[in-house]
Amino acid sequence: MDRNRLQLFRRTVCAVCAFALGLTLAGPAAFAANEATPAETELTQAQAAEMAQADAALDQLLDSGSYAAMTVDERQAAAQARLDRLAGEGLVQPGSIRYDEENGMLSFAYDCGVLGGVLLTDWEDEPFVDLPLEMPEGLPGPLDAENDVRPLGNAIIYYAFDDTVNSTRYPNYLTMQEAWNGWGLSTTLDTDVTVADLRHMDDYDLCIISTHGAYYTYTTGWLFKQVRTSPVLLLREESSFWDDLRYGFDLLTHRVIKVNGNYCITPDFFSAAYRGGQLNGTMVFSETCEFFGGNNILDLSMSNALLDAGARAVVGFVNNVYAVYSRSMLWGTVNQLIMGKNILQAVDAAAATYGPDDIYWYLSQGGTQPHRYAAFALVHGDDTAVLYDLNESAAAA
């Protein structure tokens, strides 16, 4: 997709979103009446204990050296066998186990109805060594009469890619935090992201979701079985007996699921957490893979949930995205927002610098084996959204 077509797609995604969403949700709507509704909305200690027992059995496999050395097919067979055994013990619903080969994940339901998963594939390795972020021209931001940086609002980076130890990614986010603080955007860097943390996005003008993303395919329904697919945000918060009880309602209603023993967020989480538009104009930039769909298929369910929750504009990527490209686009976009550009202008300026998609960037770095589908950024919502009003800033100065 060339840059002119990409820019046109960015500008028209809002206009077509209702049509696209209708296509995306046509299947689920047809069987909504048959969707299984949890008989209980409170997780009991007995149910949490059974989940902990199942999780311990899965962890024993997933944390083993032999599993780490397996091919994906071997992992699938081993995980399937372990889940079948757990189903025989009454800890997993037998008819719920499903293998999604395309996304490399086994899904299942615990006996209580909470959804779980085993992600079989490792995260895609970066093709190049990380380089320090380049300082842009035209910053710092607007100055007040006393020559101090004027506050431009506040932002938070929800960093859940890794534990920051020996990380090649993490130093770049420290650079962003320091730079943006110095230029007037008060920036918090959250490196221990929890489900509870994501209930406070309304405290910020700009929320940046820096974590892995995936697609979760599962079987639902009592009378008529139906396969559903949902994008999920993968956190590093490990599940536990007590946290399962704390998040019990979200787990039972499938707003939160558990993959490889960690909590993951579905679109329904945002719809429920911010009912009535509580995000109130917050802008969201997501670095997650497949945030807007995968395999070149547009999926607006995650961004629609955020917009319905009150977000003004949402930026994310279609398809799996190289980490260096997504981070560079984030850096360039926020810098442009600080300079007073609207969100669409900011994303376009970043794409002009780093390339219209991540394969373009990859090839420009000398890469010779790009992944299958190019990842590119989309703006959904109000593409005129700004971090601050230039006219008001000029009048105040």
Side-chain angles (χ1 to χ4, degrees):
M1 181 179 290
D2 61 42
R3 185 168 183 275
N4 290 333
R5 290 175 62 201
L6 175 61
Q7 186 173 21
L8 177 61
F9 191 34
R10 286 202 195 99
R11 292 186 182 279
T12 58
V13 67
C14 295
V16 303
C17 66
F19 175 71
L21 183 62
L23 292 177
T24 302
L25 299 184
F31 67 89
N34 298 315
E35 177 92 29
T37 301
E40 301 176 4
T41 54
E42 182 177 349
L43 193 69
T44 67
Q45 290 197 16
Q47 290 170 330
E50 288 185 346
M51 280 203 296
Q53 185 179 346
D55 289 342
L58 285 172
D59 289 344
Q60 184 181 38
L61 171 66
L62 301 182
D63 295 340
S64 67
S66 59
Y67 182 83
M70 292 178 184
T71 65
V72 171
D73 289 342
E74 290 170 339
R75 290 182 180 185
Q76 187 272 327
Q80 179 79 50
R82 186 62 55 97
L83 288 170
D84 287 340
R85 191 187 84 186
L86 293 173
E89 296 172 359
L91 299 175
V92 166
Q93 295 179 8
S96 69
I97 303 170
R98 177 180 178 80
Y99 179 42
D100 179 0
E101 183 176 5
E102 185 171 359
N103 291 294
M105 188 182 294
L106 274 163
S107 63
F108 63 92
Y110 296 90
D111 186 58
C112 60
V114 171
L115 294 178
V118 177
L119 186 64
L120 303 172
T121 54
D122 296 322
W123 304 119
E124 185 173 24
D125 292 332
E126 280 303 291
F128 298 104
V129 176
D130 279 343
L131 298 174
L133 295 169
E134 296 182 4
M135 293 297 116
E137 297 180 359
L139 290 166
L143 304 179
D144 66 17
E146 297 179 0
N147 207 35
D148 292 325
V149 174
R150 180 182 297 115
L152 303 178
N154 62 352
I156 185 168
I157 304 171
Y158 292 108
Y159 181 89
F161 281 125
D162 52 44
D163 62 2
T164 75
V165 177
N166 298 321
S167 170
T168 58
R169 298 178 189 247
Y170 180 58
N172 290 281
Y173 292 84
L174 286 175
T175 298
M176 292 185 201
Q177 180 190 31
E178 181 180 1
W180 294 339
N181 278 328
W183 298 330
L185 180 63
S186 178
T187 304
T188 299
L189 180 54
D190 182 355
T191 59
D192 188 20
V193 184
T194 67
V195 173
D197 289 346
L198 294 179
R199 296 188 184 280
H200 300 284
M201 293 170 61
D202 53 332
D203 293 338
Y204 302 92
D205 302 305
L206 173 64
C207 291
I208 298 162
I209 302 173
S210 298
T211 185
H212 292 292
Y215 259 80
Y216 182 79
T217 302
Y218 61 103
T219 303
T220 187
W222 290 105
L223 295 178
F224 302 100
K225 295 294 184 182
Q226 184 75 31
V227 176
R228 297 192 67 176
T229 302
S230 175
V232 292
L233 309 180
L234 307 177
L235 305 185
R236 292 188 62 258
E237 182 182 12
E238 295 182 3
S239 64
S240 69
F241 173 83
W242 293 111
D243 283 333
D244 282 352
L245 289 175
R246 180 160 65 118
Y247 301 142
F249 187 84
D250 287 320
L251 287 165
L252 286 169
T253 54
H254 304 163
R255 298 167 186 170
V256 175
I257 66 175
K258 303 204 294 183
V259 174
N260 288 25
N262 291 351
Y263 295 118
C264 303
I265 302 299
T266 71
D268 287 344
F269 173 84
F270 295 113
S271 300
Y274 300 102
R275 283 195 176 96
Q278 295 176 31
L279 281 178
N280 194 28
T282 296
M283 285 191 284
V284 178
F285 190 115
S286 175
E287 287 193 81
T288 58
C289 288
E290 300 184 320
F291 183 86
F292 275 118
N295 300 323
N296 277 346
I297 300 174
L298 183 65
D299 185 332
L300 301 176
S301 55
M302 192 68 80
S303 60
N304 268 306
L306 287 162
L307 292 173
D308 290 344
R312 186 174 178 189
V314 181
V315 181
F317 294 91
V318 178
N319 301 324
N320 289 316
V321 59
Y322 288 127
V324 175
Y325 179 76
S326 71
R327 182 173 61 245
S328 298
M329 286 292 293
L330 166 64
W331 172 241
T333 296
V334 176
N335 291 342
Q336 292 292 321
L337 287 172
I338 290 173
M339 290 188 223
K341 301 292 180 63
N342 68 41
I343 188 64
L344 180 59
Q345 292 169 334
V347 170
D348 282 342
T353 301
Y354 300 107
D357 58 60
D358 70 340
I359 288 183
Y360 181 98
W361 166 83
Y362 174 84
L363 295 176
S364 74
Q365 302 298 307
T368 58
Q369 295 181 316
H371 52 202
R372 182 178 180 185
Y373 296 110
F376 52 93
L378 293 181
V379 179
H380 191 190
D382 182 1
D383 60 15
T384 67
V386 294
L387 195 58
Y388 64 97
D389 192 304
L390 275 173
N391 294 326
E392 290 182 3
S393 298

